């Protein structure tokens, strides 16, 4: 309020000035301006101090697109849409799970988990089982922390599933998140389907493809996997053989574990022993300065002997209940009450009644009930501000006090700023305590939320919260009419789609009983109606965004002909309302071109992509990630047209831009690790020769390589190799790793002869030191084979491609699809050498494996039939070629019908392929591109 000259304020400012990390914002003026200034300051701290972005990056010119900063995923992952809230929720879930300082004798379990990672492939997922509240999440989160510390080369992907029916339990979102994480760590930019069914089907291929790019192991951990809706159906990939360097750990409750998974190796969490029970209760009591008598300790020990009373959550809750009594209360009386509770739910009920007893009035007790019930019936939780709007009589002081008590006693927790139940048993207790009448009470509370979020919509306030809650609430109430009306609110659907909740949006439409085409028609009609009320530049820009979202949604559904009209309208509006050279126009051109690519109208697509590229270069400069995106799109288009040389040039140009961008912006993958390692440089320079120092030098070399600083990378990699040879001996597998990395660097510098020599040395060491199916051996074999192929040394490449087949057979068995992929790669090599006779049986064997694995109408079967058709044609057997090609086309047509006209790219993960240029053309040629 301008009164900053008081003595206390001046003293406070002086104190702050001595704290080096403190940031002070000096502001006199309105509250909103002050809040905005603070927000900007915090954003700069995050970007500059934490992510290492350059200051100039933060002060770029405003191009009129206020949403650019909220959609970084378009820069990193092409057109993949992702929700920052979903990612934040996972980070918070992990932090919450690992927050306990008591490890409850987990060491024996850690050893078992470590054995799983070290065990030779193939190995099925490991099942971590136990009753509710037995400590599964705590065990996994603590083990993840240990792995991150001791195994820096392991890539650990985790997902903590929350309450059933919450966003965190949606299978399509989980699989998409895991795929994006894999892509992020492998620096891969590639189109990813949004169709839920295809996403689940393609995940094993992504896992196989991306695991091959990662030198270390990949560990996937899914906590509470049995809470996923239809887990057995949507997590089918778990029962397939996993890639050799991939390990999967999932946790389940004993009672709800799917029957088919019970055969997997299982790590069962035993109830706590008396020592762990005592230490857990003592820790809670010590925090409150309470000392238990020997007699009280004996009573507790006798009580905590059954499976339900020596459960980790039960004992934690018991300790907190005793601690809450304090030195002033009667501990013996509290213990007597606790001993009446034989399970966690009944103990939670005692805790709740204790909190109720501490409240001063019936009004506060009523508010406590309202808060817990309304949180319980919501989709993902409720925020404090929403609670205060729902209940105007609720003061901030009372709310703060209630939330503090409920949080302290493990009833509630925070996730993305929303209050939700910390454990399922807490919600079970609330239902027993307050909702004995069942569905009628639940329905009444849901109706209260419906009215609240409907009121938000009537004020044109469509936030991520109303889009998350309102359609879901209508779905739970079974009110199809209101759900239908809600979905036709274009801003609600746009919000869900733009945040990647594609599967959720589709499920709502399916409940309403509309097929894809009628849904598209209704959206378009609603938009045309909305357009009549749009006046002024701002509302027209908003309208263009809605048209673009609809077009992209329809494109993702495979409704290509219906997608063109809204995308064309979006383009027209932007050209008129903004400027023909505005970056948003480039965005419209890019999206429209994407439809034409899927439609096989390559000429139209090329023209649009080139226009988008020109606008982006003029608006952002030639080295911006948006320019890289347009170059990638054009390269993909040229590859589809078999213009490989042009495609390769554009990809190289795009890759250089992305590397520079990563260096400039402080990519999390590169710079954060680089900064961390740079602190060790002086120690390394002065330190002794040790395997650890050699490993760190190798990692530094890799990081500099990722930043395209090849000279510095070479220096560190050579030092690492020399140190390893001195300490470990020249035939140690670690030396092979350094040789392999130096070979990759020489390959990048186009020093192919030197790269060949280094790869051959690495291969020789790994062949002698490692198992025949080891992933590191497979990695060197693959890269040396590709190098031989590039150098035209096809005769040398053949035995390595044959070895790749052998390795996959040993890893997965002779009938696994990845073996078929290796067979196809070898067959393509033979075709390049004009050895069609040798290629034929390989294709036939691959076809048999694909048919047995996927059925007779799978896209991989179609691709292999097409390749066999080419061989038959070249061999003069035109009748057989026509028959095979006809079968291939039937599969293609069936696939197109199945997914609503959305044809898949033939550049799948099924290995190197080649195809007919068209059904009518006699010109046969090969695609030699490495898939």
């Amino acid at each position: 309020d301008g009164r900053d000259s008081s003595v206390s304020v001046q003293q406070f400012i002086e104190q702050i000035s001595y704290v080096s990390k403190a940031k002070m914002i000096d502001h006199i003026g309105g509250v909103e301006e002050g809040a905005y200034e603070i927000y900007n300051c915090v954003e700069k701290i995050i970007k500059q101090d934490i992510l290492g972005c350059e200051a100039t990056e933060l002060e770029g010119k405003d191009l009129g697109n206020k949403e650019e900063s909220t959609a970084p995923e378009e820069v990193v992952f092409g057109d993949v849409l992702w929700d920052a809230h979903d990612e934040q929720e996972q980070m918070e879930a992990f932090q919450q799970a690992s927050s306990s300082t008591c490890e409850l004798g987990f060491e024996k379990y850690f050893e078992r988990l470590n054995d799983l990672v070290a065990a030779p492939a193939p190995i099925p997922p490991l099942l971590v089982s136990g009753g509710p509240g037995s400590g599964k999440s705590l065990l996994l989160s603590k083990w993840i922390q240990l792995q991150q510390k001791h195994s820096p080369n392991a890539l650990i992907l985790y997902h903590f599933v929350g309450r059933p029916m919450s966003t965190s339990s949606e299978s399509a979102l989980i699989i998409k998140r895991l795929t994006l994480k894999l892509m992020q760590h492998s620096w891969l930019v590639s189109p990813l389907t949004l169709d839920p069914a295809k996403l689940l089907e393609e995940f094993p291929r992504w896992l196989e493809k991306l695991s091959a790019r990662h030198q270390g192991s990949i560990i996937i951990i899914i906590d509470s996997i049995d809470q996923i809706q239809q887990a057995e159906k949507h997590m089918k990939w778990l029962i397939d053989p996993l890639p050799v360097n991939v390990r999967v750990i999932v946790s389940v409750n004993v009672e709800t574990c799917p029957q088919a998974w019970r055969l997997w190796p299982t790590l069962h969490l035993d109830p706590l022993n008396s020592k762990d029970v005592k230490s857990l209760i003592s820790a809670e009591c010590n925090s409150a300065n309470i000392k238990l008598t020997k007699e009280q300790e004996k009573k507790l020990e006798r009580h905590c002997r059954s499976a339900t009373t020596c459960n980790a959550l039960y004992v934690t809750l018991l300790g907190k209940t005793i601690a809450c009594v304090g030195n002033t209360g009667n501990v013996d009386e509290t213990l007597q009450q606790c001993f009446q509770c034989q399970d966690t739910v009944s103990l939670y009920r005692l805790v709740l009644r204790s909190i109720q007893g501490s409240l001063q009035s019936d009004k506060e007790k009523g508010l406590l009930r309202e808060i817990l019930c309304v949180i319980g019936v919501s989709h993902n939780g409720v925020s404090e501000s929403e609670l205060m709007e729902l209940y105007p009589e609720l003061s901030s002081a009372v709310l703060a006090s209630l939330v503090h008590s409920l949080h302290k006693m493990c009833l509630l927790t925070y996730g993305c700023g929303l209050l939700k139940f910390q454990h399922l048993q807490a919600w079970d207790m609330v239902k027993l305590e307050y909702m004995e009448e069942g569905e009628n009470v639940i329905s009444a509370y849901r109706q209260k939320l419906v009215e609240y979020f409907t009121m938000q919509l009537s004020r044109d306030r469509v936030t991520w919260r109303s889009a998350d809650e309102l359609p879901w609430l209508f779905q739970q109430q079974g009110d199809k009419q209101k759900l239908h009306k809600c979905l036709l609110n274009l801003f609600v659907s746009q919000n869900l789609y733009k945040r990647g909740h594609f599967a959720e949006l589709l499920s709502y439409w399916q409940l309403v009983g509309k097929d894809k085409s009628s849904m598209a028609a209704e959206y378009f009609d609603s938009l045309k109606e909305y357009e009549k009320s749009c006046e002024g530049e701002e509302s027209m820009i908003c309208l263009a965004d809605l048209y673009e979202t609809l077009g992209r949604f329809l494109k993702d559904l495979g409704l290509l002909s219906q997608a063109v009209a809204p995308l064309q309208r979006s383009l027209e509006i932007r050209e008129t309302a903004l400027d023909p050279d505005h970056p948003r126009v480039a965005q419209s051109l890019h999206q429209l071109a994407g439809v034409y690519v899927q439609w096989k109208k390559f000429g139209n697509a090329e023209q649009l992509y080139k226009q988008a590229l020109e606008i982006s270069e003029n608006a952002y400069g030639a080295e911006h990630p948006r320019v890289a995106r347009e170059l990638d799109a054009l390269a993909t288009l040229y590859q589809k047209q078999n213009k490989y040389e042009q495609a390769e040039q554009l990809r190289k140009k795009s890759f250089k831009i992305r590397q520079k961008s990563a260096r400039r912006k402080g990519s999390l993958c590169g710079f954060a690790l680089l900064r961390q390692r740079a602190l060790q440089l002086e120690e390394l320079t002065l330190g002794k020769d040790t395997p650890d120092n050699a490993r760190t030098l190798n990692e530094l070399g890799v990081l500099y390589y990722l930043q395209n600083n090849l000279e510095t990378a070479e220096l560190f990699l050579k030092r690492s190799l020399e140190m390893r040879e001195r300490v470990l001996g020249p035939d140690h597998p670690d030396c092979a790793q350094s040789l392999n990395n130096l070979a990759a660097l020489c390959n990048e510098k186009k020093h192919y002869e030197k790269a060949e020599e280094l790869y051959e040395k690495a291969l020789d060491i790994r062949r002698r030191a490692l198992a025949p199916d080891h992933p590191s051996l497979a990695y060197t074999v693959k890269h040396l084979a590709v190098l031989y192929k590039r150098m035209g040394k096809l005769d040398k490449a053949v035995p390595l491609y044959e070895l790749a087949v052998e390795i996959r057979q040993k890893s997965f068995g002779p009938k696994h699809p990845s073996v078929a992929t290796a067979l196809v790669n070898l067959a393509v090599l033979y075709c390049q050498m004009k050895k069609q006779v040798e290629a034929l049986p390989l294709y036939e064997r691959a076809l048999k494996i694909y048919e047995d694995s996927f059925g007779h109408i799978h896209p991989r079967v179609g691709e292999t039939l097409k390749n066999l058709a080419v061989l038959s044609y070249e061999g003069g057997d035109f009748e057989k070629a026509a028959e095979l090609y006809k079968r291939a086309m039937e599969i293609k047509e069936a696939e197109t019908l199945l997914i609503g006209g959305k044809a898949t790219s033939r550049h799948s993960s099924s290995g190197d392929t080649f195809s007919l240029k068209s059904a009518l053309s006699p010109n046969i040629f090969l695609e030699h591109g490495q898939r």
Side-chain angles (χ1 to χ4, degrees), residues 56-316:
T56 50
E57 282 295 302
L58 302 171
E59 294 157 12
K61 56 184 175 176
D62 180 13
L63 295 161
N65 183 0
K66 292 178 184 175
E67 290 176 12
E68 289 297 311
S69 61
T70 63
E73 68 284 334
E74 292 215 354
V75 174
V76 183
F77 298 122
D79 291 331
V80 175
L81 301 157
W82 187 239
D83 185 9
H85 286 284
D86 294 340
E87 192 56 41
Q88 176 70 17
E89 184 181 38
Q90 284 304 308
M91 289 163 65
E92 290 179 7
F94 173 67
Q95 286 162 0
Q96 182 193 317
S98 60
S99 61
S100 171
T101 52
C102 190
E103 295 193 3
L104 309 172
F106 281 167
E107 289 78 10
K108 59 183 178 183
Y109 301 130
F110 290 154
E111 285 177 24
R112 180 76 191 278
L113 291 167
N114 291 338
D115 290 344
L116 169 89
V117 174
I123 186 165
L126 176 73
L127 211 60
V128 176
S129 76
S134 56
K136 300 181 293 295
S137 303
L138 176 62
L139 167 68
L140 291 176
S141 58
K142 291 289 185 186
W143 185 72
I144 290 169
Q145 288 178 326
L146 287 173
Q147 285 293 113
Q148 288 171 335
K149 184 178 177 182
H150 298 303
S151 305
N153 289 333
L155 170 58
I156 301 174
L157 307 177
Y158 60 80
H159 189 92
F160 287 81
V161 178
R163 209 176 72 183
M165 297 200 299
S166 66
T167 300
S168 66
S169 69
E170 287 179 13
S171 54
L173 281 175
I174 294 169
I175 294 299
K176 187 164 82 168
R177 179 175 174 270
L178 294 175
T179 308
L180 288 180
K181 286 282 175 190
L182 281 167
M183 289 168 70
Q184 185 180 0
H185 281 274
S186 60
W187 286 52
L188 184 70
V189 179
S190 189
L192 186 67
T193 180
L194 288 179
D195 186 308
K198 288 201 73 185
L199 195 65
L200 294 167
E201 182 195 319
E202 288 178 6
F203 180 67
R205 290 183 230 165
W206 277 111
L207 191 57
E208 186 182 325
K209 182 178 180 180
L210 297 171
S211 64
R213 297 168 70 101
H214 186 74
Q215 272 191 278
S217 59
I218 295 175
I219 303 167
I220 298 174
I221 296 165
I222 304 178
D223 181 48
S224 302
I225 194 169
D226 49 327
Q227 302 298 336
I228 294 171
Q229 298 149 35
Q230 296 180 291
E232 212 169 345
K233 176 185 173 186
H234 294 310
M235 294 287 152
K236 278 183 182 172
W237 61 275
L238 287 170
I239 59 175
D240 292 333
L242 298 163
V244 286
N245 59 335
V246 175
R247 299 289 180 272
V248 175
I249 302 167
V250 298
S251 76
V252 293
N253 279 335
V254 177
E255 301 87 354
T256 52
C257 177
Q259 196 62 39
W261 298 357
R262 292 174 186 260
L263 300 172
W264 293 344
T266 302
L267 173 63
H268 186 75
L269 268 61
D270 300 321
L272 300 184
N273 58 39
S274 56
K275 181 186 170 188
D276 288 334
V277 169
K278 186 177 177 181
S279 69
L280 199 51
I281 292 174
S282 297
E284 292 293 346
C285 291
N286 291 341
S287 67
N289 294 319
I290 292 178
K291 181 75 177 164
L292 295 175
T293 66
K294 293 285 182 188
E295 184 61 31
Q296 288 167 343
E297 285 181 356
K298 282 180 183 175
K299 284 180 181 178
L300 280 166
E301 190 180 334
R302 282 198 297 272
H303 175 66
C304 297
R305 282 181 177 170
S306 71
T308 54
T309 58
C310 55
N311 166 295
L313 178 57
Y314 180 94
V315 175
T316 303

Side-chain angles (χ1 to χ4, degrees), residues 185-462:
H185 281 274
S186 60
W187 286 52
L188 184 70
V189 179
S190 189
L192 186 67
T193 180
L194 288 179
D195 186 308
K198 288 201 73 185
L199 195 65
L200 294 167
E201 182 195 319
E202 288 178 6
F203 180 67
R205 290 183 230 165
W206 277 111
L207 191 57
E208 186 182 325
K209 182 178 180 180
L210 297 171
S211 64
R213 297 168 70 101
H214 186 74
Q215 272 191 278
S217 59
I218 295 175
I219 303 167
I220 298 174
I221 296 165
I222 304 178
D223 181 48
S224 302
I225 194 169
D226 49 327
Q227 302 298 336
I228 294 171
Q229 298 149 35
Q230 296 180 291
E232 212 169 345
K233 176 185 173 186
H234 294 310
M235 294 287 152
K236 278 183 182 172
W237 61 275
L238 287 170
I239 59 175
D240 292 333
L242 298 163
V244 286
N245 59 335
V246 175
R247 299 289 180 272
V248 175
I249 302 167
V250 298
S251 76
V252 293
N253 279 335
V254 177
E255 301 87 354
T256 52
C257 177
Q259 196 62 39
W261 298 357
R262 292 174 186 260
L263 300 172
W264 293 344
T266 302
L267 173 63
H268 186 75
L269 268 61
D270 300 321
L272 300 184
N273 58 39
S274 56
K275 181 186 170 188
D276 288 334
V277 169
K278 186 177 177 181
S279 69
L280 199 51
I281 292 174
S282 297
E284 292 293 346
C285 291
N286 291 341
S287 67
N289 294 319
I290 292 178
K291 181 75 177 164
L292 295 175
T293 66
K294 293 285 182 188
E295 184 61 31
Q296 288 167 343
E297 285 181 356
K298 282 180 183 175
K299 284 180 181 178
L300 280 166
E301 190 180 334
R302 282 198 297 272
H303 175 66
C304 297
R305 282 181 177 170
S306 71
T308 54
T309 58
C310 55
N311 166 295
L313 178 57
Y314 180 94
V315 175
T316 303
L317 211 51
L318 186 59
K320 287 182 181 292
T321 307
I322 299 165
C324 272
V325 176
N327 292 313
T328 54
N330 188 331
V331 173
D332 283 317
E333 189 182 323
T334 302
L335 284 176
Q336 205 54 43
Q337 291 172 341
C338 290
F339 293 160
Q340 303 301 313
C341 305
Q342 293 299 316
D343 58 39
T344 307
V345 172
S346 57
L347 189 55
Y348 260 130
R349 184 176 260 184
L350 178 66
V351 167
L352 179 64
R353 288 178 178 171
S354 168
I355 294 170
Q356 284 173 334
S358 69
L359 299 177
Q360 296 173 355
S361 66
D362 290 341
K363 179 186 170 185
E364 287 182 4
K365 290 174 184 175
L367 286 169
L368 172 64
R369 171 188 174 130
E370 295 296 302
I371 287 169
L372 289 172
C373 290
V374 86
I375 288 171
V377 301
S378 66
H379 188 194
N380 289 312
V382 181
S383 73
E384 290 182 19
S385 59
E386 286 166 352
L387 285 171
M388 291 181 71
E389 287 182 359
L390 279 160
Y391 301 101
E393 68 275 24
L394 178 63
S395 69
S396 56
V398 169
L399 177 62
S401 174
L402 287 173
V403 168
H404 172 71
S405 300
L406 294 166
H407 186 269
K408 182 177 159 188
M409 296 307 293
C410 302
L411 272 101
L412 294 184
T413 186
Y414 288 95
C416 288
L418 302 178
L419 287 164
K420 48 186 77 176
F421 285 103
Q422 200 164 128
H423 298 280
L424 279 173
Q425 293 97 313
W427 170 227
D428 290 340
M429 177 275 296
V430 168
K431 284 188 282 190
L432 286 171
E433 185 73 5
Y434 293 135
M435 298 180 165
E436 287 177 345
E437 295 169 41
E439 279 303 315
N440 290 339
V441 181
I442 291 174
S443 184
Y445 280 109
R446 281 193 180 136
Q447 187 56 35
K448 189 167 185 69
L449 283 175
V450 163
E451 287 166 9
Y452 171 75
F453 286 113
T454 304
M455 185 178 68
Q456 303 287 338
L457 289 189
S458 67
R459 296 176 187 164
D460 285 337
R461 279 176 62 189
V462 179

Side-chain angles (χ1 to χ4, degrees), residues 787-838:
L787 180 65
Y788 282 149
K789 207 169 166 189
R790 182 178 290 146
M791 296 169 76
K793 298 182 177 182
L794 302 186
D795 288 329
K796 277 190 158 187
V798 168
L800 292 180
Y801 273 103
E802 288 172 343
L803 182 56
V805 174
E806 279 177 42
I807 290 172
R808 291 198 185 193
Q809 285 183 153
K810 283 173 184 167
S811 300
F812 304 116
K815 295 181 180 179
H816 193 273
S818 67
V819 174
T821 301
L823 290 166
V824 168
N825 290 339
L826 180 57
V828 168
L829 184 66
Y830 278 137
C831 288
Q832 282 184 275
M833 298 168 76
K834 308 296 181 196
K835 293 183 176 180
Q836 277 78 2
V837 176
E838 285 89 338

Side-chain angles (χ1 to χ4, degrees), residues 528-786:
K528 284 192 285 187
E529 195 61 36
Y530 177 74
E531 186 171 351
K532 291 174 186 175
S533 63
C534 288
E535 291 177 6
E537 185 181 302
E538 198 171 321
S539 62
M540 291 305 286
I541 292 169
C542 177
L543 177 67
D545 288 347
L546 288 169
Y547 271 119
E548 185 190 274
T549 302
L550 176 58
R552 291 177 69 172
F553 182 45
L554 299 181
K555 181 184 81 169
D556 290 332
L557 286 169
L559 304 173
L560 303 181
S561 56
Q562 285 162 287
V564 170
L567 289 173
Q568 189 69 48
R569 183 68 189 124
S570 170
L571 175 61
E572 289 164 7
I573 294 169
R574 284 174 176 168
E575 284 179 331
T576 307
L578 296 166
D579 185 79
D581 292 328
H582 194 280
R584 285 289 192 91
V585 173
Q587 171 74 5
S588 286
L589 291 164
H590 178 93
Q591 296 300 338
L592 194 54
V595 175
Y596 285 127
V597 169
Q598 286 190 21
W599 220 349
K600 303 283 187 280
K601 296 189 176 182
F602 297 139
N604 302 41
E606 184 176 1
Q607 185 184 353
L608 294 168
Y609 277 140
K610 282 180 174 176
Q611 281 178 260
L613 177 61
E614 187 182 345
I615 293 170
S616 297
E617 283 178 334
N618 291 335
Y620 297 111
E623 294 188 347
H624 193 276
R626 293 271 169 178
V627 173
R629 185 177 79 153
E630 303 306 338
L631 291 167
D632 278 332
L634 262 174
T636 303
L637 176 66
Y638 286 143
Q639 195 161 328
K640 286 177 183 293
Q641 295 174 279
N642 306 303
K643 298 176 180 177
Y644 296 114
E645 200 173 325
Q646 289 165 274
E648 186 63 19
Q649 286 173 353
L650 293 175
R651 285 211 191 285
K652 283 179 181 174
K653 197 173 172 184
S654 164
F655 184 67
K656 283 180 181 174
I657 292 171
R658 290 185 190 281
Q659 279 188 320
K660 283 184 181 177
S661 171
R663 188 160 64 246
R664 199 163 53 239
K665 289 189 176 180
S667 156
L668 289 174
C669 180
F671 262 19
L673 286 169
L674 191 58
R675 283 171 174 230
Q676 182 188 337
R677 290 301 192 203
L679 297 174
Q680 301 173 5
L681 270 173
E682 189 175 346
E683 183 190 334
L684 272 172
T685 309
L686 303 172
K688 298 175 183 176
D689 285 1
T690 66
D692 280 349
N693 278 351
R695 187 180 70 244
T696 305
L697 285 166
N698 179 70
E699 287 173 11
L700 272 166
V702 172
L703 288 167
Y704 276 114
Y705 173 81
L706 288 171
Q707 301 306 318
N708 208 28
N709 189 342
L710 301 185
E711 302 309 316
T712 310
E714 188 171 8
L715 179 73
F716 279 112
L717 290 173
K718 280 183 175 175
R719 281 184 60 196
S720 169
L721 176 61
E722 288 161 7
M723 193 180 288
R724 280 172 164 171
E725 286 177 337
R726 284 196 299 272
V727 176
L728 303 168
D731 294 330
H732 194 277
D734 284 4
C735 294
Q737 185 192 49
S738 293
L739 288 163
N740 204 88
N741 291 341
L742 275 167
L745 189 137
C746 291
N747 195 18
E748 179 75 17
K749 293 165 80 172
K750 296 189 170 54
H751 298 165
Y752 297 133
E753 302 294 334
K754 184 66 180 171
E756 180 185 2
E757 180 192 335
L758 293 165
Y759 272 136
E760 285 175 346
K761 279 186 185 176
L763 180 61
D764 183 51
I765 293 170
R766 285 179 166 170
R767 263 183 159 159
R768 282 184 281 115
L770 303 176
D773 59 348
H774 196 282
S776 295
L777 176 62
Y779 183 87
T780 307
V781 166
K782 172 188 156 188
H783 283 85
L784 183 55
V786 171

Side-chain angles (χ1 to χ4, degrees), residues 884-899:
L884 290 166
Y885 194 76
K886 184 185 174 196
R887 274 186 65 197
M889 286 302 100
E890 283 169 357
I891 291 169
K892 191 75 173 174
E893 283 164 18
E895 181 191 0
T896 305
L897 286 170
L898 186 66
I899 55 174

